Amino acid sequence: MALFQATRAARILPQGAACLRLLSTPALQGPPALPATAALPPTLSAIGLGAPIAKRNAGVSVLGCAIAMVAVGGCAQGIGQLFAALVVGMARNPSMKEDLFTYTLIGMGFLEFLAIVVILIAGLLLYSE
């Protein structure tokens, strides 16, 4: 301890060094001393099992959201293929234009619903704790 105080007095280490703050965390200080008169049974919070779960890192949320948003690109590709098939179908049989367009709109509705669900799941992944 004397060596630490001497280096601190000589200003070799900054006074607010982040590595020194690590030693003052409650996890490294040990359990608090209980009075001798109060012999309490160990509870879940005393052992640390009742402590709240630590918040997930923000990077994990963003990564999960980005992976989920890849499916929106798949929905866009599906809509492109759907309209390409409509154009090919109308070129082959122009008399079925109205029926093909109706089927295309139904398929597009399913794809848009899938895209909305994916965006909602991505939002849940991003903002959940």
Side-chain angles (χ1 to χ4, degrees):
M1 189 71 176
L3 177 64
F4 175 68
Q5 289 175 348
T7 46
R8 192 171 189 184
R11 303 256 182 214
I12 295 174
L13 291 175
Q15 296 219 359
C19 60
L20 301 177
R21 271 187 255 138
L22 176 67
L23 299 175
S24 66
T25 59
L28 296 176
Q29 290 177 357
L34 293 174
T37 58
L40 299 174
T43 61
L44 288 178
S45 61
I47 334 174
L49 296 176
I53 298 173
K55 188 176 178 184
R56 196 170 49 171
N57 292 333
V60 176
S61 297
V62 172
L63 186 63
C65 178
I67 291 171
M69 289 300 285
V70 171
V72 174
C75 291
Q77 183 181 6
I79 290 174
Q81 287 181 351
L82 190 68
F83 279 100
L86 172 68
V87 169
V88 170
M90 284 171 54
R92 287 178 184 241
N93 194 353
S95 64
M96 289 196 56
K97 183 164 89 169
E98 291 83 17
D99 292 336
L100 290 175
F101 191 70
T102 303
Y103 297 146
T104 301
L105 289 181
I106 291 171
M108 189 176 146
F110 282 125
L111 285 171
E112 287 293 325
F113 174 72
L114 179 64
I116 290 170
V117 168
V118 166
I119 290 171
L120 289 176
I121 290 174
L124 284 174
L125 287 172
L126 184 61
Y127 294 112
S128 65
E129 290 188 20

